[in-house]
Amino acid sequence: MTVVLTLTILICWFTMIRMPLASYRGPLPELTAGERQLQLELQQDVTHLAGHIGERNTYVPRALHAAADYVEAGFTNAGLRVTRQGFTAMGERCENLIAEIPGAGRRTEIVVVGGHYDSVQGVAGANDNASGAAATLALARRFATTQPARTLRFVAFVNEEPPFFKAPEMGSLVYARSCRANGDNIVAMLSLETIGFYSDADKSQKYPFPFGLFYPSRGNFIAFVGRTSQAGLVRQCLRSFRTQAKFPSEGAALPTFIPGVDWSDHWAFWQAGYPAIEISDTAIFRYEHYHTVQDTPDKLDYERMARVVNGLEKVIEELVNP
């Protein structure tokens, strides 16, 4: 046990100090006009998905289909063509929604950005994961008129929540396996999962032991997380974010036995042999309303969420134009 604990502490220390640059510290600057517009977009999309539609999963199929229609309309209104990947789960039709921007020059290399739009049973799921779905839509709007070198795909996944998590009917697993079967060359996947809650209160951030020895006690940062074999992608994305965004950020490449490391759609891409990381507010260690009926749109910090998404725009820009 002592050996395992020592190794875990060394892994924590090693992965932390290997992260590039330093997290932003200090007062947050005034929002730009573009960030204020982004804030409004994010709040509108979260409010519609988690407020007007509410719980959305196979237990309430009408709401799940309404959410899919809303996300499709968001992509379409941005000028993007949407493909629906349909399949059946629990006797209901479920759909992943894919919007692709073909690359120029390096078209066969693909970057995927996505988040799931379903919610856990009985819950409206504002942070988990209307926040990630809203961010996916906002980023798609901003890249819709660009011409990246690599192909860029925005995907809204269905069925991330139980009982489908890590099951064959998990939407991202269905999608990732189809990409592998088609021979798609996905060079990076970013999973946007619970990105809407932040707190400056001391001890508002929790961790599995012994991570609290190395990381901040205030839950005011965005986290870039991957498994140890893909530390390079974590560092690349974190460096890009820290170069561009004046917002606290942390990163780690960790063994998958650490709780939470593989708890989102990036896990599905690992199963298909693709490099993928999660970008998250680490809700399970910070957000008291995680997977509860209190996970409603009024709980989220849309101003900080806008700062995060604005920073992610620069991360994606560098990924698709290496």
Side-chain angles (χ1 to χ4, degrees):
M1 185 66 179
T2 303
V3 173
V4 172
L5 178 59
T6 301
L7 286 174
T8 302
I9 292 174
L10 288 174
I11 288 169
C12 295
W13 178 76
F14 182 72
T15 54
M16 186 185 76
I17 65 170
R18 288 292 303 277
M19 291 298 122
L21 307 181
S23 174
Y24 178 79
R25 295 290 183 265
L28 297 177
E30 289 290 323
L31 290 181
T32 65
E35 287 170 332
R36 292 199 179 280
Q37 173 58 34
L38 180 54
Q39 177 184 355
L40 292 174
E41 290 177 33
L42 293 167
Q43 186 166 4
Q44 176 180 320
D45 288 339
V46 169
T47 299
H48 190 92
L49 287 168
H52 297 310
I53 296 176
E55 179 186 354
R56 50 205 180 276
N57 49 54
T58 54
Y59 299 102
V60 281
R62 182 176 297 181
L64 184 64
H65 298 156
D69 290 343
Y70 182 82
V71 171
E72 180 180 36
F75 285 143
T76 301
N77 291 340
L80 298 171
R81 182 178 177 181
V82 178
T83 300
R84 290 196 180 218
Q85 181 186 38
F87 59 97
T88 300
M90 288 181 58
E92 299 293 342
R93 180 169 176 80
C94 302
E95 295 173 307
N96 294 319
L97 306 167
I98 305 110
E100 179 177 290
I101 303 172
R106 302 175 73 163
R107 183 170 183 152
T108 60
E109 299 175 9
I110 302 164
V111 174
V112 175
V113 178
H116 69 92
Y117 65 91
D118 62 309
S119 69
V120 74
Q121 185 179 10
V123 174
N127 200 26
D128 188 13
N129 188 38
S131 67
T136 301
L137 286 174
L139 290 164
R141 295 183 189 108
R142 280 148 183 79
F143 281 94
T145 58
T146 67
Q147 181 63 76
R150 287 171 164 164
T151 293
L152 177 56
R153 290 180 186 168
F154 293 97
V155 187
F157 302 110
V158 72
N159 293 359
E160 189 270 353
E161 299 288 1
F164 304 115
F165 183 62
K166 294 188 177 181
E169 298 85 3
M170 183 179 181
S172 52
L173 186 59
V174 171
Y175 178 74
R177 285 175 169 171
S178 71
C179 290
R180 177 55 67 193
N182 292 334
D184 291 353
N185 180 24
I186 296 175
V187 298
M189 184 273 175
L190 307 184
S191 174
L192 308 183
E193 174 77 33
T194 64
I195 63 169
F197 183 78
Y198 304 90
S199 173
D200 291 318
D202 194 29
K203 298 183 180 180
S204 56
Q205 182 72 35
K206 310 299 181 185
Y207 303 93
F209 183 81
F211 291 87
L213 299 174
F214 305 96
Y215 288 96
S217 64
R218 294 177 179 176
N220 61 359
F221 59 87
I222 190 71
F224 293 71
V225 181
R227 59 182 177 179
T228 50
S229 62
Q230 289 161 9
L233 181 59
V234 175
R235 289 196 294 268
Q236 178 185 357
C237 292
L238 185 62
R239 175 184 292 278
S240 179
F241 186 88
R242 286 179 169 178
T243 299
Q244 304 286 348
K246 292 184 177 180
F247 191 85
S249 57
E250 301 295 337
L254 302 169
T256 55
F257 65 78
I258 303 295
V261 171
D262 61 355
W263 289 5
S264 189
D265 292 302
H266 57 302
W267 170 87
F269 285 78
W270 294 348
Q271 308 317 298
Y274 292 123
I277 66 171
E278 177 186 22
I279 298 167
S280 173
D281 64 14
T282 72
I284 58 172
F285 301 116
R286 174 190 306 181
Y287 184 53
E288 65 177 330
H289 307 301
Y290 176 73
H291 278 197
T292 75
V293 295
Q294 283 78 42
D295 183 13
T296 50
D298 58 297
K299 303 300 193 306
L300 304 194
D301 187 330
Y302 298 99
E303 178 179 321
R304 296 199 206 196
M305 191 174 163
R307 297 176 190 275
V308 168
V309 174
N310 187 61
L312 292 179
E313 181 181 351
K314 308 304 188 297
V315 173
I316 296 166
E317 186 176 341
E318 292 191 6
L319 280 174
V320 296
N321 296 298

